[in-house]
Amino acid sequence: MGTFCSVVKFENLQELKRLCHWGPIIALGVIAICSAMAMIDSVLWYWPLHTTGGSVNFIMLINWTVMILYNYFNAMFVGPGFVPLGWKPENSQDSVYLQYCKVCQAYKAPRSHHCRKCNRCVMKMDHHCPWINNCCGYQNHASFTLFLLLAPLGCIHAAFIFVMTMYTQLYNRLSFGWNTVKIDMSAARRDPLPIIPFGLAAFAATLFALGLALGTTIAVGMLFFIQMKIILRNKTSIESWIEEKAKDRIQYYQLDEVFVFPYDMGSRWKNFKQVFTWSGVPEGDGLDWPIREGCHQYSLTIEQLKQKADKRVRSVRYKVIEDYSGTCCPLNRGIKTFFTSPCTEEPRIRLQKGEFILATRGLRYWLYGDKILDDSVLEGVSRIRGWFPRNCVEKCPCDAETDQAPEGEKKNR
Protein backbone atom coordinates (compact mmCIF):
# COMPACT_ATOMS: atom_id res chain seq x y z
CA MET A 1 0.00 0.00 0.00
CA GLY A 2 1.33 3.40 -0.97
CA THR A 3 0.71 4.72 2.51
CA PHE A 4 4.08 3.33 3.55
CA CYS A 5 5.77 5.69 1.10
CA SER A 6 4.70 8.69 3.13
CA VAL A 7 6.97 10.12 5.81
CA VAL A 8 5.82 10.90 9.34
CA LYS A 9 6.52 14.54 10.00
CA PHE A 10 6.36 16.12 13.45
CA GLU A 11 5.28 19.76 13.38
CA ASN A 12 7.07 20.21 16.70
CA LEU A 13 8.12 18.28 19.77
CA GLN A 14 4.85 19.24 21.46
CA GLU A 15 3.19 16.48 19.42
CA LEU A 16 5.05 13.93 21.57
CA LYS A 17 2.77 14.93 24.45
CA ARG A 18 0.02 12.95 22.75
CA LEU A 19 1.73 9.83 24.08
CA CYS A 20 1.10 10.97 27.67
CA HIS A 21 -2.52 9.89 27.70
CA TRP A 22 -4.30 6.76 28.87
CA GLY A 23 -5.39 5.87 25.32
CA PRO A 24 -1.94 5.56 23.68
CA ILE A 25 -0.47 4.03 26.86
CA ILE A 26 -3.05 1.22 26.84
CA ALA A 27 -2.89 0.72 23.04
CA LEU A 28 0.90 0.57 22.94
CA GLY A 29 0.91 -1.66 26.02
CA VAL A 30 -1.37 -4.19 24.34
CA ILE A 31 0.76 -4.12 21.17
CA ALA A 32 3.96 -4.61 23.18
CA ILE A 33 2.60 -7.48 25.28
CA CYS A 34 1.09 -9.41 22.37
CA SER A 35 4.12 -8.91 20.12
CA ALA A 36 6.73 -9.72 22.77
CA MET A 37 4.92 -12.81 24.08
CA ALA A 38 4.29 -14.12 20.56
CA MET A 39 8.00 -13.85 19.71
CA ILE A 40 9.11 -15.38 23.02
CA ASP A 41 6.65 -18.27 22.83
CA SER A 42 7.51 -18.95 19.22
CA VAL A 43 11.30 -18.95 19.65
CA LEU A 44 11.54 -20.76 22.98
CA TRP A 45 8.70 -23.27 23.02
CA TYR A 46 6.86 -23.60 19.72
CA TRP A 47 8.82 -22.89 16.53
CA PRO A 48 12.60 -22.46 17.05
CA LEU A 49 14.59 -20.16 14.79
CA HIS A 50 16.88 -22.92 13.49
CA THR A 51 13.96 -24.26 11.41
CA THR A 52 12.84 -22.65 8.14
CA GLY A 53 9.26 -22.34 9.30
CA GLY A 54 10.37 -20.81 12.60
CA SER A 55 12.46 -18.18 10.82
CA VAL A 56 9.61 -17.25 8.46
CA ASN A 57 7.17 -17.12 11.36
CA PHE A 58 9.47 -14.83 13.37
CA ILE A 59 9.92 -12.47 10.41
CA MET A 60 6.15 -12.31 9.95
CA LEU A 61 5.67 -11.41 13.63
CA ILE A 62 8.20 -8.59 13.31
CA ASN A 63 6.50 -7.45 10.10
CA TRP A 64 3.09 -7.26 11.77
CA THR A 65 4.53 -5.24 14.65
CA VAL A 66 6.34 -2.76 12.40
CA MET A 67 3.33 -2.17 10.12
CA ILE A 68 0.93 -1.80 13.06
CA LEU A 69 3.18 0.71 14.84
CA TYR A 70 3.89 2.63 11.64
CA ASN A 71 0.22 3.22 10.86
CA TYR A 72 -0.58 3.88 14.51
CA PHE A 73 2.04 6.61 14.86
CA ASN A 74 1.18 7.94 11.40
CA ALA A 75 -2.47 8.34 12.45
CA MET A 76 -1.43 9.95 15.73
CA PHE A 77 1.29 12.38 14.70
CA VAL A 78 0.34 13.27 11.11
CA GLY A 79 -3.14 14.04 12.41
CA PRO A 80 -6.35 14.76 10.53
CA GLY A 81 -5.38 18.14 9.12
CA PHE A 82 -6.81 21.37 10.49
CA VAL A 83 -8.55 24.24 8.74
CA PRO A 84 -6.05 27.15 8.66
CA LEU A 85 -6.72 29.78 11.29
CA GLY A 86 -8.57 32.71 9.76
CA TRP A 87 -9.54 30.71 6.66
CA LYS A 88 -12.22 32.11 4.36
CA PRO A 89 -13.45 30.96 0.94
CA GLU A 90 -11.80 32.47 -2.13
CA ASN A 91 -15.15 33.76 -3.30
CA SER A 92 -16.43 35.98 -0.49
CA GLN A 93 -20.02 35.37 -1.62
CA ASP A 94 -19.66 31.68 -0.66
CA SER A 95 -19.32 32.64 3.00
CA VAL A 96 -23.11 32.84 3.29
CA TYR A 97 -23.18 29.04 2.92
CA LEU A 98 -20.63 28.41 5.67
CA GLN A 99 -20.69 28.46 9.46
CA TYR A 100 -18.24 30.69 11.31
CA CYS A 101 -16.08 29.32 14.13
CA LYS A 102 -15.46 31.94 16.83
CA VAL A 103 -12.68 29.88 18.42
CA CYS A 104 -10.62 29.49 15.23
CA GLN A 105 -11.70 32.88 13.88
CA ALA A 106 -12.37 31.24 10.54
CA TYR A 107 -15.15 29.83 8.42
CA LYS A 108 -15.72 26.10 8.61
CA ALA A 109 -14.74 24.58 5.28
CA PRO A 110 -17.10 21.99 3.78
CA ARG A 111 -17.03 18.70 5.77
CA SER A 112 -15.04 20.31 8.61
CA HIS A 113 -16.16 20.47 12.24
CA HIS A 114 -14.72 21.96 15.40
CA CYS A 115 -13.25 19.47 17.88
CA ARG A 116 -13.46 20.53 21.50
CA LYS A 117 -10.57 18.21 22.44
CA CYS A 118 -8.16 19.46 19.75
CA ASN A 119 -9.62 22.99 19.97
CA ARG A 120 -9.37 23.35 16.18
CA CYS A 121 -11.62 22.91 13.17
CA VAL A 122 -10.77 19.50 11.70
CA MET A 123 -10.91 18.79 7.97
CA LYS A 124 -13.39 16.00 7.15
CA MET A 125 -13.75 15.16 10.80
CA ASP A 126 -15.01 11.65 11.59
CA HIS A 127 -14.46 11.47 15.35
CA HIS A 128 -11.94 12.16 18.10
CA CYS A 129 -10.27 8.87 18.97
CA PRO A 130 -8.83 8.53 22.50
CA TRP A 131 -6.65 5.56 21.46
CA ILE A 132 -4.53 7.80 19.24
CA ASN A 133 -5.31 10.91 21.32
CA ASN A 134 -6.13 12.76 18.11
CA CYS A 135 -8.93 13.22 15.63
CA CYS A 136 -9.57 10.93 12.69
CA GLY A 137 -10.06 13.01 9.58
CA TYR A 138 -8.84 13.98 6.13
CA GLN A 139 -5.09 13.30 6.35
CA ASN A 140 -4.97 10.28 8.67
CA HIS A 141 -8.18 8.42 7.76
CA ALA A 142 -6.28 5.90 5.63
CA SER A 143 -3.56 5.27 8.24
CA PHE A 144 -6.16 4.92 10.99
CA THR A 145 -8.18 2.42 8.95
CA LEU A 146 -5.06 0.41 8.03
CA PHE A 147 -4.20 0.25 11.72
CA LEU A 148 -7.70 -1.10 12.42
CA LEU A 149 -7.09 -3.78 9.75
CA LEU A 150 -3.54 -4.78 10.67
CA ALA A 151 -4.06 -4.94 14.44
CA PRO A 152 -6.65 -7.77 14.29
CA LEU A 153 -4.63 -9.66 11.65
CA GLY A 154 -1.50 -9.47 13.79
CA CYS A 155 -3.47 -10.50 16.88
CA ILE A 156 -4.92 -13.52 15.04
CA HIS A 157 -1.38 -14.65 14.19
CA ALA A 158 -0.26 -14.06 17.79
CA ALA A 159 -3.30 -15.91 19.17
CA PHE A 160 -2.43 -18.91 17.00
CA ILE A 161 1.10 -18.92 18.45
CA PHE A 162 -0.27 -18.71 22.01
CA VAL A 163 -2.73 -21.56 21.51
CA MET A 164 -0.19 -23.84 19.83
CA THR A 165 2.46 -23.08 22.47
CA MET A 166 0.14 -24.04 25.32
CA TYR A 167 -1.07 -27.10 23.43
CA THR A 168 2.40 -28.47 22.63
CA GLN A 169 3.77 -27.69 26.09
CA LEU A 170 0.83 -29.02 28.08
CA TYR A 171 -0.10 -32.04 25.96
CA ASN A 172 2.20 -34.45 27.81
CA ARG A 173 1.58 -32.84 31.19
CA LEU A 174 -2.14 -33.52 31.44
CA SER A 175 -3.27 -36.45 33.54
CA PHE A 176 -6.94 -37.36 33.77
CA GLY A 177 -8.55 -39.02 36.78
CA TRP A 178 -12.11 -40.08 37.35
CA ASN A 179 -13.13 -36.66 38.67
CA THR A 180 -10.02 -34.51 38.24
CA VAL A 181 -7.64 -33.14 35.64
CA LYS A 182 -4.06 -32.44 36.77
CA ILE A 183 -1.37 -30.40 35.02
CA ASP A 184 2.27 -31.06 35.82
CA MET A 185 4.09 -27.73 35.39
CA SER A 186 7.54 -29.17 36.15
CA ALA A 187 10.30 -29.40 33.53
CA ALA A 188 9.13 -30.17 30.00
CA ARG A 189 8.84 -33.84 29.12
CA ARG A 190 10.23 -33.70 25.62
CA ASP A 191 13.50 -34.05 23.85
CA PRO A 192 15.37 -31.82 23.37
CA LEU A 193 14.65 -29.80 26.51
CA PRO A 194 13.99 -26.06 25.97
CA ILE A 195 16.56 -23.57 27.24
CA ILE A 196 13.94 -22.09 29.56
CA PRO A 197 11.26 -24.47 30.88
CA PHE A 198 7.64 -23.62 30.19
CA GLY A 199 6.64 -23.05 33.82
CA LEU A 200 3.65 -21.62 35.59
CA ALA A 201 4.72 -18.00 35.03
CA ALA A 202 5.11 -18.58 31.28
CA PHE A 203 1.73 -20.30 31.14
CA ALA A 204 0.01 -17.40 32.97
CA ALA A 205 1.70 -14.78 30.76
CA THR A 206 0.76 -16.66 27.58
CA LEU A 207 -2.85 -17.06 28.73
CA PHE A 208 -3.05 -13.34 29.57
CA ALA A 209 -1.62 -12.37 26.17
CA LEU A 210 -4.10 -14.70 24.47
CA GLY A 211 -6.98 -12.89 26.16
CA LEU A 212 -5.63 -9.51 25.02
CA ALA A 213 -5.17 -10.77 21.46
CA LEU A 214 -8.68 -12.21 21.19
CA GLY A 215 -10.28 -9.12 22.75
CA THR A 216 -8.37 -6.81 20.41
CA THR A 217 -9.32 -8.91 17.38
CA ILE A 218 -13.03 -8.64 18.15
CA ALA A 219 -13.16 -5.00 19.30
CA VAL A 220 -10.81 -3.47 16.72
CA GLY A 221 -12.15 -5.73 13.97
CA MET A 222 -15.65 -4.35 14.53
CA LEU A 223 -14.29 -0.80 14.32
CA PHE A 224 -12.59 -1.66 11.03
CA PHE A 225 -15.84 -2.85 9.46
CA ILE A 226 -17.64 0.29 10.68
CA GLN A 227 -14.95 2.51 9.15
CA MET A 228 -14.94 0.64 5.85
CA LYS A 229 -18.71 0.94 5.64
CA ILE A 230 -18.64 4.73 5.83
CA ILE A 231 -15.54 4.98 3.59
CA LEU A 232 -17.28 3.03 0.82
CA ARG A 233 -20.11 5.59 1.06
CA ASN A 234 -17.61 8.48 1.29
CA LYS A 235 -19.19 9.66 4.53
CA THR A 236 -18.10 10.32 8.07
CA SER A 237 -19.91 9.45 11.28
CA ILE A 238 -20.93 13.09 11.70
CA GLU A 239 -22.21 13.36 8.14
CA SER A 240 -24.33 10.23 8.60
CA TRP A 241 -26.09 11.96 11.49
CA ILE A 242 -26.58 15.15 9.47
CA GLU A 243 -28.13 13.09 6.67
CA GLU A 244 -30.47 11.37 9.14
CA LYS A 245 -31.64 14.72 10.52
CA ALA A 246 -32.11 16.04 6.98
CA LYS A 247 -34.50 13.20 6.17
CA ASP A 248 -36.30 13.80 9.46
CA ARG A 249 -36.69 17.51 8.65
CA ILE A 250 -38.08 16.80 5.17
CA GLN A 251 -40.52 14.22 6.51
CA TYR A 252 -41.71 16.45 9.36
CA TYR A 253 -42.46 19.46 7.15
CA GLN A 254 -43.67 17.29 4.25
CA LEU A 255 -41.39 19.06 1.80
CA ASP A 256 -41.23 18.20 -1.90
CA GLU A 257 -37.49 17.63 -1.88
CA VAL A 258 -35.02 14.76 -1.55
CA PHE A 259 -31.74 15.15 0.25
CA VAL A 260 -28.89 13.67 -1.80
CA PHE A 261 -25.54 13.27 -0.09
CA PRO A 262 -23.24 15.34 -2.35
CA TYR A 263 -19.93 13.52 -1.77
CA ASP A 264 -21.01 10.00 -2.69
CA MET A 265 -19.37 9.44 -6.08
CA GLY A 266 -21.94 6.75 -6.95
CA SER A 267 -19.32 3.98 -6.97
CA ARG A 268 -17.76 2.19 -4.03
CA TRP A 269 -14.42 2.04 -5.85
CA LYS A 270 -14.44 5.78 -6.49
CA ASN A 271 -15.36 6.43 -2.86
CA PHE A 272 -12.57 4.08 -1.76
CA LYS A 273 -10.01 6.02 -3.83
CA GLN A 274 -11.02 9.25 -2.08
CA VAL A 275 -9.29 7.89 1.06
CA PHE A 276 -6.77 5.27 -0.13
CA THR A 277 -4.23 6.26 -2.77
CA TRP A 278 -0.99 4.66 -3.98
CA SER A 279 0.96 7.75 -2.98
CA GLY A 280 -0.37 7.61 0.56
CA VAL A 281 -1.65 11.19 0.26
CA PRO A 282 -5.45 11.56 0.13
CA GLU A 283 -7.00 13.29 -2.85
CA GLY A 284 -7.71 17.01 -2.72
CA ASP A 285 -6.63 19.61 -0.19
CA GLY A 286 -9.21 18.95 2.52
CA LEU A 287 -11.04 22.21 1.78
CA ASP A 288 -12.63 21.64 -1.64
CA TRP A 289 -14.25 18.32 -2.50
CA PRO A 290 -15.48 16.63 -5.68
CA ILE A 291 -19.24 16.26 -5.72
CA ARG A 292 -21.65 14.03 -7.58
CA GLU A 293 -23.52 15.34 -10.60
CA GLY A 294 -26.52 17.50 -9.79
CA CYS A 295 -25.30 18.54 -6.33
CA HIS A 296 -24.04 21.86 -5.03
CA GLN A 297 -20.57 22.27 -3.51
CA TYR A 298 -22.20 23.51 -0.32
CA SER A 299 -25.22 21.19 -0.24
CA LEU A 300 -24.20 19.67 3.09
CA THR A 301 -23.31 22.98 4.74
CA ILE A 302 -26.58 24.49 3.53
CA GLU A 303 -28.41 21.58 5.15
CA GLN A 304 -26.48 22.20 8.36
CA LEU A 305 -27.55 25.85 8.34
CA LYS A 306 -31.18 24.79 7.85
CA GLN A 307 -30.93 22.41 10.78
CA LYS A 308 -29.27 25.05 12.92
CA ALA A 309 -32.06 27.52 12.15
CA ASP A 310 -34.74 24.90 12.84
CA LYS A 311 -34.82 24.38 16.61
CA ARG A 312 -36.91 21.25 16.17
CA VAL A 313 -34.25 19.31 14.21
CA ARG A 314 -31.24 20.85 15.92
CA SER A 315 -31.93 18.31 18.63
CA VAL A 316 -34.39 15.44 18.33
CA ARG A 317 -36.44 14.66 21.41
CA TYR A 318 -36.59 11.09 22.69
CA LYS A 319 -38.33 9.38 25.58
CA VAL A 320 -36.62 6.63 27.55
CA ILE A 321 -38.54 3.35 27.28
CA GLU A 322 -36.00 1.07 29.00
CA ASP A 323 -33.50 1.62 31.79
CA TYR A 324 -29.80 1.96 30.92
CA SER A 325 -27.12 1.66 33.60
CA GLY A 326 -24.58 3.92 31.87
CA THR A 327 -22.00 1.19 31.28
CA CYS A 328 -19.53 1.63 28.42
CA CYS A 329 -20.32 -1.64 26.64
CA PRO A 330 -23.71 -2.94 27.86
CA LEU A 331 -24.19 -6.66 27.29
CA ASN A 332 -27.95 -6.50 27.83
CA ARG A 333 -28.55 -4.05 24.95
CA GLY A 334 -27.65 -6.48 22.18
CA ILE A 335 -24.50 -7.74 20.52
CA LYS A 336 -24.37 -4.94 17.92
CA THR A 337 -24.75 -2.25 20.57
CA PHE A 338 -22.02 -3.92 22.63
CA PHE A 339 -19.45 -4.05 19.84
CA THR A 340 -20.24 -0.62 18.34
CA SER A 341 -19.82 1.36 21.55
CA PRO A 342 -18.49 4.84 20.61
CA CYS A 343 -14.70 4.99 20.74
CA THR A 344 -14.52 8.31 22.55
CA GLU A 345 -13.73 9.86 25.93
CA GLU A 346 -17.21 11.35 26.13
CA PRO A 347 -19.25 9.82 28.98
CA ARG A 348 -22.30 7.56 28.94
CA ILE A 349 -25.37 8.74 30.80
CA ARG A 350 -27.59 6.65 33.04
CA LEU A 351 -31.22 6.57 31.95
CA GLN A 352 -34.44 5.59 33.67
CA LYS A 353 -37.74 4.83 32.03
CA GLY A 354 -39.87 7.92 31.51
CA GLU A 355 -37.01 10.44 31.26
CA PHE A 356 -36.53 12.73 28.25
CA ILE A 357 -33.46 13.15 26.04
CA LEU A 358 -32.51 15.78 23.46
CA ALA A 359 -30.26 13.98 20.96
CA THR A 360 -27.90 16.21 18.99
CA ARG A 361 -25.96 13.55 17.04
CA GLY A 362 -25.61 9.83 16.82
CA LEU A 363 -24.42 6.60 15.28
CA ARG A 364 -26.41 3.65 14.01
CA TYR A 365 -26.80 2.04 17.43
CA TRP A 366 -25.92 4.94 19.74
CA LEU A 367 -27.11 8.51 20.29
CA TYR A 368 -25.50 11.51 21.96
CA GLY A 369 -27.48 14.18 23.73
CA ASP A 370 -28.68 15.86 26.91
CA LYS A 371 -30.76 14.28 29.64
CA ILE A 372 -33.10 16.97 30.92
CA LEU A 373 -33.46 17.06 34.67
CA ASP A 374 -36.05 19.84 34.89
CA ASP A 375 -39.79 19.33 34.66
CA SER A 376 -39.90 21.36 31.46
CA VAL A 377 -38.65 19.40 28.47
CA LEU A 378 -38.11 22.25 26.04
CA GLU A 379 -36.89 24.91 28.47
CA GLY A 380 -34.78 22.73 30.71
CA VAL A 381 -31.44 24.14 31.75
CA SER A 382 -30.01 21.54 34.07
CA ARG A 383 -28.78 18.68 31.85
CA ILE A 384 -26.43 15.70 31.81
CA ARG A 385 -24.70 15.10 28.48
CA GLY A 386 -23.40 11.83 27.04
CA TRP A 387 -23.95 8.70 24.91
CA PHE A 388 -26.74 6.14 25.27
CA PRO A 389 -28.05 3.17 23.19
CA ARG A 390 -30.70 3.85 20.57
CA ASN A 391 -32.75 0.79 21.50
CA CYS A 392 -33.57 2.09 24.97
CA VAL A 393 -35.33 5.25 23.67
CA GLU A 394 -37.97 6.21 21.14
CA LYS A 395 -38.86 9.48 19.48
CA CYS A 396 -41.17 11.38 21.76
CA PRO A 397 -44.76 10.91 20.50
CA CYS A 398 -45.77 14.29 21.85
CA ASP A 399 -43.74 15.97 19.08
CA ALA A 400 -46.55 15.28 16.64
CA GLU A 401 -49.11 16.80 19.01
CA THR A 402 -47.48 19.82 20.64
CA ASP A 403 -44.84 20.78 18.07
CA GLN A 404 -46.82 20.15 14.90
CA ALA A 405 -46.33 23.01 12.47
CA PRO A 406 -49.38 24.47 10.69
CA GLU A 407 -50.01 23.14 7.21
CA GLY A 408 -49.23 26.49 5.62
CA GLU A 409 -45.97 26.76 7.52
CA LYS A 410 -44.93 23.30 6.34
CA LYS A 411 -45.33 24.22 2.70
CA ASN A 412 -43.50 27.52 3.16
CA ARG A 413 -40.57 25.71 4.71
Side-chain angles (χ1 to χ4, degrees), residues 288-346:
D288 295 316
W289 301 92
I291 57 175
R292 66 185 301 168
E293 186 177 354
C295 292
H296 190 276
Q297 175 66 32
Y298 300 104
S299 293
L300 193 66
T301 55
I302 292 173
E303 177 59 34
Q304 288 179 262
L305 292 173
K306 290 180 180 179
Q307 294 177 9
K308 186 176 181 180
D310 190 344
K311 295 182 180 180
R312 193 199 65 82
V313 299
R314 190 187 306 174
S315 56
V316 182
R317 183 166 49 172
Y318 288 85
K319 183 177 180 180
V320 180
I321 57 175
E322 293 185 27
D323 293 347
Y324 167 55
S325 62
T327 55
C328 181
C329 299
L331 285 170
N332 61 340
R333 303 313 311 174
I335 190 70
K336 293 182 178 179
T337 301
F338 176 81
F339 284 115
T340 58
S341 179
C343 184
T344 173
E345 291 179 301
E346 294 168 321

Side-chain angles (χ1 to χ4, degrees), residues 180-246:
T180 60
V181 177
K182 296 182 180 180
I183 303 178
D184 181 10
M185 294 303 295
S186 60
R189 301 176 181 175
R190 68 182 180 90
D191 188 31
L193 293 175
I195 299 175
I196 301 176
F198 187 78
L200 183 60
F203 172 74
T206 300
L207 191 61
F208 177 71
L210 175 62
L212 288 180
L214 293 178
T216 301
T217 299
I218 296 173
V220 180
M222 289 293 295
L223 292 176
F224 169 73
F225 283 111
I226 292 172
Q227 285 297 314
M228 283 305 302
K229 187 175 181 180
I230 62 175
I231 286 175
L232 294 178
R233 297 177 179 177
N234 203 15
K235 296 180 182 179
T236 65
S237 301
I238 297 176
E239 290 168 349
S240 297
W241 175 245
I242 295 173
E243 183 180 26
E244 182 178 335
K245 290 199 294 183

